[in-house]
Amino acid sequence: MNNSILTLVTFVPAIGALALMLMPRNDRALRWAALIISIATFAISLFLPMYYDYGASGFQFETNRNWIGQTIHYHMGADGISMWLVLLTTLLVPVSVLVSWKSIHDRVKEFFVLLLLLEMAMIGVFLALDMFLFYVFWEATLIPMALLIGMYGHERRVYAAVKFFLYTMVASVFMLAAIIWLYVHTGSFDYSVIREWIRVSIQNGSVSGTALQWLFLGFFIAFAVKVPLFPLHTWLPDAHVEAPTAGSVLLAGVLLKMGTYGLLRFNVGMFPDQAAYNSSWINTLAVIGIIYGALVALVQPNLKKLIAYSSVSHLGFVVLGIFSLTTIGADGAVYQMLNHGISTGALFMLAGMLYERKHTYEFKEFGGLATPMPVYATFFLLAVLSSVGLPLLNGFVGEFLVLSGTFQSAMPHAMLFAILGSSGVIWGACYLLWMYQKVFYGQIHHDENKTLPDIDGRERISLVPLVVLAVIMGVASPYWMKSIQPAVVSTLPQAAGVKAQAQKDHNQDKPDLVSPVLPAAAAVPNASATGGQK
Amino acid sequence: MNPIQTVDYIRILPELVLTAFGIIIMMADPLLKPGASRKGLGLVALGGTIAAIAATFCQIAWSARDANFATPGWFGMVRVDSFAIFFHLLIPAISAVCILASLEYLDAQNIRSGEYYALILFGTVGMVLMSSAVELVLIFIALEISSISTYILAGYRRRNAGSAESAIKYFLLGSFATAFFLYGVALMFGATGSTSILKIGPALGSNPGLLAIAATALMIVGLGFKVAAAPFHIWTPDVYEGAPAPIVALMSTGPKAAAFAVLLRVLFATTSSDWLPLIWICAALSMTLGNFGALMQNNVKRMLAYSSIAHAGYLLVAFAASNEIGRSAAIFYTASYAAMNVGAFAVVSHFGAGGERYVSVDDYSGLGRRSPLLAFTFTIFMLSLIGIPATAGFLAKYYVFNAALSANAHPTALVWLTIIGLVNSAVASYYYLRLIVVMYMREPVIVEAPAPASGAMKLALVLAAIATIYLGVMPGRVLTYSDAGARDLLPTAAAAGSATPGSSTFPGPVATTPEK
Amino acid sequence: MVPLSWYLILSGILFSLGVLGFLLKRNIITIFMSIELMLNAVNLSFVAFANYWHTHPVADKSIVPLSGQVFVFFVMVVAAAEAAVGLAIIIAVFRTRETLNVDRVNLLKL
Amino acid sequence: MTKNLNLWVIPLLPLIGAAINGLFGRRFKNAMVSAVALLFTAASFGWAAWAVWTVWPGSGIALPHIETLGTWITAGTFSAPFGFYLDQLSMIMVLVVTGVGFLIHIYSVGYMAHEGGYYRFFAYLNLFMFFMLTLVLANNYLLMFVGWEGVGLASYLLIGFFFLKDSAADAGKKAFIVNRIGDFAFLIGMFLIIRHFGSLNYDAVFGKIAAGHFTPEAGWGIFTAIALCLMFGATGKSAQVPLYVWLPDAMEGPTPVSALIHAATMVTAGIYMIARSHAIFNLAPHALQIVAIIGCITAIFAATMGLAQTDIKRVLAYSTVSQLGYMFLACGVAAYSAGIFHLMTHAFFKALLFLGAGSVIHAVGGEQDMRRMGGLRKLIPVTFWVVTIATIAIAGIPPFAGFFSKDEILGAVFHSPYGGPVIWGIGVLTAGLTSFYMFRLWFMTFFGELKLGSVELGEEAHAAKAPAQAAHGAASHSHGHADDHSHGHGGVHESPWIMLAPLVILAVLSFVGGWVGVPQFMGGHNEIEQFLAPVMQSGPAVAGEAVSDKDATTSHAGEATPENTKEELFLAGTSVAAALIGLFFAYLFYYKSPELPDRITSKMHGIYMMVLHKYYVDEGYGAIFVKPLLALSTVVLWRGVDQGVIDGLVNGAGTASQGVGNELRQMQSGNIRSYAAWVAIGGAAIVAYMIWLGVTR
Amino acid sequence: MVHQVLFIVFGLICVAGAINLLVQRHPISSALSLVVVMASLALIYLLLGAEFVAAIQVIVYAGAIMVLFVFVIMLLNAGAEERTRGSRMALIVGVPGVIILAGTVGWMLVSGSGRLGGVNLVGPSSFGETHAIARLLFKEFLLPFEITSVLILIAIMGAVVLGKREN
């Protein structure tokens, strides 16, 4: 079981998609089949936290066999980071199926097939430990998502789908180049082998800092577009606005996490020195993203676009946390990934429910909806509050840890970044409350809004898991943290001895410091690059 | 004593089989009523290709028995090594799919002529022979066989002015390029005194004179034309647009694969790597011109023609890598490209309907609803052409770039070439995507219902699609063959390995880890 | 005796004139003839080189220096076949377009 | 001796109440809703009282009493528990919160009886109690922050309770956002604390300080930074300059909310936080100085704005801001006990004032403009008397509660190095103003003639009020409930007993509440200061060094020399005099000769308008921050950077590629000869290049 | 010496014929010029001692192929060519291309004559003997020789397919 569980989780949706393809075009049956398959996948994925060895670090449930030739392996494994992201995925898919229940009535079969294929690819991305396999899954997410947007989206869906596809495609080829380069030099695609090789190479100076820098950038750009990091984010609002609800939920909930996951796992995990060396400008971009995304969100006339820009802002936190290169920051970043998936996923679902009723996302069409739709308003409020980062809800834990970690970081200007990033709590409140007010408060200006039906049982069922999780994750974070933390610790740079020493010296200048809380990463810029040249 | 032994006949068995079937068709054609469908002859032709594949298996079996099988036969004319066998399998397979696609096409275009199939088979003879020939004379003749048959086939829609124009363009420019090739051969003969590829290399030594260099250049011109590499690509869009779609499927893959095979043999016969920078430029130019040219195309056939130029460029990247991985990648690429492109043109062929009316991108609108199978397979081919993982196109591209990055000679330049290639493939995704977009995301503009695909067409599409996916997901076997082919390509240079340092104009660090 | 380079230069001149003819002539048949001229130029090189290698034996005894002449023979065969096909194509073009001017054969472009 | 008090039950009880009402309240009858709400609040109060009783000094249980329930957040070396902390300070707070909170719950049952969303109101109110209790009982800053943000949320929900009214929704949003600005600083403060102490737990942080690791900073250092961040956080919650702007607007909420949240409890959280963090503040003299100055400015500034307000609740709101300024001032002069003392007394009389005002509003059918009131003394006698007590208390006239606490503060200010005579003078002036506007309110409301509907209001005030009223009415109507506020003008009536009972209790407290802090010079023992002393002197070494010889806290409280006594008497006398002067002017202007104010205002029109418009601060903020920000976001960031530059570049790259493609296509002229030309030139280039390579090799 | 003179003479005729092919506007004239070129080339082959090649040059090329050309010219009744300006590229790009090509190749041949060009070629000898070529053709080059049959088959079929009128 332990060896095949990951394969099972990954490919059950694919098998389901195949089965759906062969089913007759009976929409009702297709819906139920999709729901059952996705719930089954979720149920299977629950084995992961159940059988996870929380005491151990490193990857678990590993399978590793030859795939193509001797070098390309089918190597899957989960650690505390990927396990939870997989669970997030398997949770959001059934939920997405539920929200698509009525809103999709044309080409239903194709829709659910694409959805399940997307699920497979997303799970694969988080579990692949072979770079080649990773890239395969990575790109494989692209097609179903682009098709979901393009086939089931709104007016400018084609533009959005193409933009989404091209943006990500262009960026990921650089990652492919980097992966191939690494393979050529290491003879392996295996994550840990490559990681070890880089570490050793840096120590004995057999790889130049310049080369590593380019590799770092190759990976970085692919992930940064996916995150999306300012200024590579402009595909996101378009994609979100045009996507069908399920598409938005998965896009925001999972796809964006692939970017941050990649940054953490590969950029930081494999190139610790480069991560430290580049942290300044990356963090600058992250902070710009936080503020910029929020400010732009503030003035959006469109509900979904606002949520989309809020994602830019929220993901800025995640990137900031990762590139704080502190355990706390990265813990928070991982947690924030999960949080964002839940809260923004919920927000998009809610937006979609409104769309089903009103067929628009424009604020000017709403207002005063709290009266006809009190239950809906309540769910919305909870989602908003989770997104705002209200304590005791999930968002707070992540945001706090991220900012705290950044604040403790030894990266240059970390404190400035943290302070600027913290201002995100203000902006977040601004645009989200503004949004909430626009939709729910005030007088009803459109008569047809007075009779909007409140959400029904199906919709409530689809929302409840997310909202409940938002609360639980806000209160009981240690349950998640106990598996995230070891994974993060083993992913973050085990600071080379030199740098730890440098850090220590650095700290001695400030005797008033009680104890440096952070596990110091490199503050010395590109030490290996200068020392690596023979 | 007969100097020609049984084994020699085995060495040309696929050619013999194909020729025999071709002649049967040629003879049977007059027996049929003038206006009748030639489907039966098509099936015979199909049998011919399958028989050729079987003959190749016969060769494989023989080679397992006879260690000398791979030594040149027919007085050093042909050499049926793993490399040749790879193409012996690939090319008849391509022809088979094209014939399958043609069965429906000829009826749709109201072409009642059995010579069509005979010409395909004879052309296949030429292509197959090209891959195993190791003597420039034979290569030249084989090249002409495949070329002339495609010239004729390109002009097969005789009532169509475009088709005739396509044929004349192809013919004139093809002959023009052949003259360059021949001139190159002449100079090479002058430089070495031999026209045998296997002897040219040793004769030249490691420091060929100017004559040989010029000869290589001129041969590159001729072969570059055949593979549609820039700057000799310019005929491609016009010819592809005018020629019958199934024939485009054939000539964008079969002769191209064969020409690449020749190019591999010819270029790597000379151990000198003077031509590396040249191929570098050709590769970069082909990719760029091909992809950018395709961006604005509204005619699917022309678009795919440009795409074919671009793919020749990717393939040349493998050449530029100039190592065994690169050669293997190039071989694999021909197969992958064949799978996806044959399929794509088969769809174009079916959907074009009578007179090839519907070949603009807009005509494909709503195809996802109108004929789901066609649209689905077409999507697979497009995705593969883009280079999306789990398709042949991705793995092919991956191996090519892998080769480029693992090259020992000119590593920096090849890194740049890789980047150019990757950026190009990203640009390219736009126009392939356009087709997917119109198929699935737009409403149909054509009122006429598309004719249902015939069984043969469906079979062709499914075969091509399966091949595309198979090569993308489980390419292990094929890769083994292409590796073996790459090894066999240079029996003499194999000892020296791929580490032959070129004239290193690009200084750079030597890679730390040896390639496998 | 005549130096080899003279033959080669003559061959080169003829080849260039052939190329030039292809570029400058409008009539398709004349263009085709230019191609034939190029082939002839190549043949001259072949024969000249064959003569050269016949008198300057190579180290590798398995090399047949006379293959140059054989090559010429095959070039002629191919040229004949090409001529047959080419002229048939020309006729086909003439049928559809009523012209032999290449500049007017430009339906397919861009 | 340790004893498990299960402190967590105290906040949890209201949460359960909130959950029950929130989830099922819609189906309950009003009586059921109020029963649940009151039950859980009362239980919470009871538990709190029991807990306080159990650990009361002398009971043998060591204070602070800390209970940890479990870990909330842990990452890296950082960890924050669900921990509860009971010491003298939190005892006072928890009793005030649960006690006053319970009273206001009772009051609300009557006050809200006919409003729509009854269950919602009580759910929110209970939720507020939960967060507020979490705030005061937390044993670490992070958990305090939970309550801190949570009360902000509850405040947001309750201010926006009449959400159909745009002004209410706006006010709620404004409150939340302005509070968030403060929270931002609080967060940074916490990060700094983590960075330097490695923990956010009080015992860890204060323990390290108490252990004497640190000395007060002479200049601007890390402790000043922490203290300033915390202070800025407090200015948000406690409505100090520059973040006070939300509190007056918060009056859009139902009156019990104003009483509970915006007078008695939530707004004092900032004071509590500073008092809680006094150890850090004591290490940062500069920060203390700034706290004092901000408190002083807020006090006088808000008081002046209170002068011209005509809305009864707004007067009280500005008065609250002003009184909070006092408390801030107290903290700034390190007289934390005095601040807490004032916090407590203020909770009593200000809650009373608001509830009384609510009762008045209730009586006059929803009218809030004092100019339309008058002569209510006879009609609602109970309300009149309790409001009278409260007014005297807030004016600072002995022996009512306000006098003692205010006197404590002013005395401390006078002596403190961070205060001094100037700030003291301003404090006294503020006291006078407070007295003036409170009696103004008193006179306008209860004396003279009842003028409901008969007064032609000032142009601007009318314009501002009318739509809001209309909207309010609409809001109530739309809930489909009868609205007792729309009783006819003649139907002025006293509130029901359920509203009056809390008033009476609070009135008693407002009267006697100050007696726990009778200073020594008046023969008292100042019990509250002594009670709090163990907390406030948790770092005795620090205090001694921090403010050296002029330590306000100890010197002021500890010694009672005759000289001191004389001085104290003088100070107290001055402030009482100021209050009486204020009373006199109010009497003069609003009872004796009501035409005088108009004459004065018309003479000093500019100043009057400025005061009436609250110094245009809201408009200024709008013009300086909000509008430019929105414009920047829309024009520069969204349209400019996002759609213009980035998308422009992206799409431009696409267009450019297509353009290049189109140009390249022109090569494809369709002409065979030109194709041959390309082949020829290509071939020539290749041959030439190769030969060149061969030659140069 | 005689050889050289003869070479120069025939070479000049050859070049002149080629130039004439370019200059003439009527296809028939061009065809006849091409015949001149081929004939003089045949003579040059003879100078080289390649009798067999010279013979088939005359028979196949001048005799068969050119006849075909002339036949088609007459069949299509092609007149003098028009002076169209269909392609400026042919001039702008092509002519410099030809010049570069001729220049580089020529330069190479001239400068590289140290190895090749300086060597004089002998006249008639065993070099051109037909039986030697025949041996090659039917032994070493048997396969190409046989495979040309396929080529010719294709040519015939192509001519038939393309040439025959549609009904």
Side-chain angles (χ1 to χ4, degrees), chain A residues 145-469:
Chain A
M145 195 68 229
L147 285 175
L148 281 179
I149 297 173
M151 287 167 70
Y152 303 92
H154 312 316
E155 299 80 32
R156 297 178 72 222
R157 60 180 187 270
V158 173
Y159 171 76
V162 171
K163 195 172 181 180
F164 163 73
F165 187 95
L166 288 183
Y167 240 114
T168 14
M169 177 83 200
V170 168
S172 49
V173 297
F174 294 102
M175 173 165 71
L176 178 62
I179 290 177
I180 297 176
W181 195 95
L182 282 172
Y183 164 70
V184 165
H185 287 77
T186 61
S188 171
F189 283 109
D190 196 89
Y191 171 69
S192 17
V193 171
I194 292 178
R195 196 167 178 230
E196 185 60 17
W197 179 85
I198 292 175
R199 201 179 63 74
V200 171
S201 302
I202 290 173
Q203 273 172 7
N204 62 23
S206 61
V207 62
S208 78
T210 327
L212 288 180
Q213 175 72 10
W214 283 111
L215 292 171
F216 179 85
L217 290 177
F219 279 100
F220 180 78
I221 194 156
F223 297 137
V225 164
K226 206 80 167 190
V227 170
L229 200 59
F230 177 89
L232 303 171
H233 64 278
T234 55
W235 62 269
L236 185 71
D238 285 313
H240 270 316
V241 170
E242 300 306 328
T245 304
S248 291
V249 171
L250 291 178
L251 188 60
V254 185
L255 253 73
L256 306 190
K257 309 307 171 308
M258 286 165 39
T260 45
Y261 170 80
L263 285 177
L264 180 57
R265 172 80 78 220
F266 297 105
N267 275 88
V268 173
M270 294 196 314
F271 309 101
D273 290 349
Q274 262 57 38
Y277 177 60
N278 291 297
S279 68
S280 288
W281 62 266
I282 294 173
N283 280 334
T284 308
L285 289 182
V287 168
I288 291 177
I290 294 174
I291 297 173
Y292 177 94
L295 286 181
V296 177
L298 196 57
V299 295
Q300 294 303 316
N302 177 310
L303 176 58
K304 241 183 164 184
K305 225 167 183 175
L306 192 154
I307 307 173
Y309 275 108
S310 86
S311 289
V312 175
S313 187
H314 279 125
L315 271 291
F317 279 110
V318 179
V319 174
L320 190 64
I322 291 172
F323 280 91
S324 71
L325 301 181
T326 55
T327 313
I328 301 180
D331 278 352
V334 174
Y335 207 66
Q336 188 66 359
M337 288 186 217
L338 305 175
N339 297 335
H340 180 258
I342 288 168
S343 60
T344 308
L347 280 178
F348 274 120
M349 285 166 62
L350 289 158
M353 293 170 187
L354 203 51
Y355 186 86
E356 277 180 51
R357 288 162 172 77
K358 287 283 295 170
H359 298 285
T360 181
Y361 293 117
E362 298 294 319
F363 285 126
K364 59 174 189 286
E365 297 292 325
F366 305 139
L369 296 187
T371 309
M373 309 174 72
V375 179
Y376 177 73
T378 309
F379 275 115
F380 209 114
L381 184 66
L382 280 166
V384 161
L385 293 175
S386 156
S387 199
V388 163
L390 192 85
L392 291 191
L393 293 177
N394 54 359
F396 176 72
V397 181
E399 241 167 59
F400 176 79
L401 290 177
V402 162
L403 293 170
S404 174
T406 312
F407 211 92
Q408 327 298 326
S409 169
M411 295 299 111
H413 319 303
M415 220 181 270
L416 178 68
F417 292 135
I419 291 173
L420 289 174
S422 303
S423 73
V425 303
I426 303 173
W427 310 126
C430 287
Y431 62 77
L432 285 165
L433 293 185
W434 186 82
M435 169 180 86
Y436 194 74
Q437 184 184 358
K438 287 266 165 184
V439 177
F440 293 102
Y441 288 170
Q443 299 283 322
I444 296 181
H445 302 294
H446 302 273
D447 281 342
E448 75 273 18
N449 286 1
K450 284 185 180 154
T451 54
L452 284 184
D454 207 342
I455 51 176
D456 59 22
R458 171 183 58 84
E459 288 166 323
R460 283 182 211 191
I461 289 172
S462 64
L463 284 167
V464 162
L466 300 187
V467 170
V468 168
L469 258 180

Side-chain angles (χ1 to χ4, degrees), chain C:
Chain C
M1 286 291 148
V2 188
L4 172 60
S5 58
W6 290 21
Y7 291 100
L8 296 182
I9 287 167
L10 177 63
S11 156
I13 290 171
L14 291 177
F15 191 84
S16 305
L17 286 172
V19 176
L20 214 53
F22 194 114
L23 294 177
L24 299 180
K25 302 306 286 181
R26 267 75 166 176
N27 190 304
I28 297 177
I29 300 179
T30 325
I31 288 175
F32 192 14
M33 285 191 277
S34 305
I35 294 173
E36 295 296 338
L37 182 60
M38 289 161 76
L39 293 180
N40 272 288
V42 173
N43 282 352
L44 179 59
S45 285
F46 266 122
V47 178
F49 279 127
N51 188 311
Y52 169 82
W53 284 112
H54 186 67
T55 46
H56 299 78
V58 279
D60 184 351
K61 289 299 162 204
S62 67
I63 288 180
V64 191
L66 284 181
S67 60
Q69 289 189 67
V70 180
F71 219 117
V72 172
F73 170 77
F74 285 114
V75 170
M76 287 179 189
V77 174
V78 168
E82 262 191 5
V85 172
L87 291 170
I89 292 175
I90 288 170
I91 290 170
V93 169
F94 188 79
R95 276 206 194 120
T96 54
R97 309 299 307 274
E98 298 291 335
T99 182
L100 284 177
N101 188 331
V102 274
D103 286 356
R104 298 197 190 285
V105 184
N106 57 355
L107 279 180
L108 308 172
K109 60 185 163 194
L110 294 177

Side-chain angles (χ1 to χ4, degrees), chain B residues 136-203:
Chain B
L136 288 170
V137 175
L138 190 59
I139 287 175
F140 170 63
I141 291 170
L143 189 68
E144 281 300 307
I145 291 174
S146 88
S147 300
I148 290 178
S149 64
T150 39
Y151 299 154
I152 299 165
L153 288 167
Y156 224 88
R157 290 157 63 215
R158 269 173 306 153
R159 273 164 301 201
N160 183 304
S163 185
E165 181 173 331
S166 157
I168 192 77
K169 274 181 175 160
Y170 194 16
F171 169 72
L172 285 181
L173 291 166
S175 309
F176 187 60
T178 309
F180 278 89
F181 175 73
L182 264 184
Y183 199 33
V185 172
L187 294 187
M188 189 54 92
F189 172 67
T192 59
S194 170
T195 51
S196 169
I197 286 176
L198 301 174
K199 289 166 190 162
I200 287 173

Side-chain angles (χ1 to χ4, degrees), chain A residues 233 292 309 407 437 474 477 514, chain D residues 72 77 170 195-196 642 647:
Chain A
H233 64 278
Y292 177 94
Y309 275 108
F407 211 92
Q437 184 184 358
S477 70
V514 178
Chain D
W72 172 31
T77 51
D170 281 338
R195 190 178 173 100
H196 293 273
D642 224 54
D647 257 7

